[in-house]
Amino acid sequence: MSKILLVGCGKMGQALLAGWLDRGMARADVVVVDPAAPDLGVTVAAGPDSLPPGFGPDLMVLAVKPQVMADVLPAYRRFAAAGATVLSIAAGKPVAFFRA
């Protein structure tokens, strides 16, 4: 199974996570980064510097508000550079924004 990094676990992030888990995704395959994430039985990190050592996602889902995306992205660039697929649910942010 693929390893997923979920950045942001507000209402939309929680809905995505619940769907993955309901469909059988192993809790061990998901890491959430959100300082206020509820206990959902998955690994939760307060920030990018608190991720489990050696963790490398296959998929990184960005579920943060569009207005904070520019501040959040740089800390996760290493995962995209290592080959992780990046998916954003932020409205109004074109692909060129993420490439930059």
Side-chain angles (χ1 to χ4, degrees), residues 1-7 16 20 25 29-33 51 55-62 76 79-80 82-89:
M1 185 59 87
S2 295
K3 300 282 186 189
I4 295 180
L5 175 61
L6 176 61
V7 180
L16 289 166
W20 299 333
M25 177 158 229
D29 290 336
V30 181
V31 174
V32 172
V33 176
L51 289 168
F55 177 74
D58 300 299
L59 173 65
M60 181 171 48
V61 179
L62 304 171
Y76 299 97
F79 298 122
T85 299
V86 179
L87 172 68
S88 171
I89 65 167

Side-chain angles (χ1 to χ4, degrees), residues 9-84:
C9 199
K11 290 181 183 184
M12 292 298 294
Q14 285 182 44
L16 289 166
L17 179 58
W20 299 333
L21 297 176
D22 286 348
R23 285 163 183 76
M25 177 158 229
R27 283 171 161 54
D29 290 336
V30 181
V31 174
V32 172
V33 176
D34 190 317
D39 182 8
L40 300 168
V42 299
T43 300
V44 176
D49 296 332
S50 302
L51 289 168
F55 177 74
D58 300 299
L59 173 65
M60 181 171 48
V61 179
L62 304 171
V64 298
K65 294 186 183 320
Q67 60 267 30
V68 299
M69 189 67 72
D71 294 330
V72 170
L73 278 181
Y76 299 97
R77 179 172 291 167
R78 67 185 187 265
F79 298 122

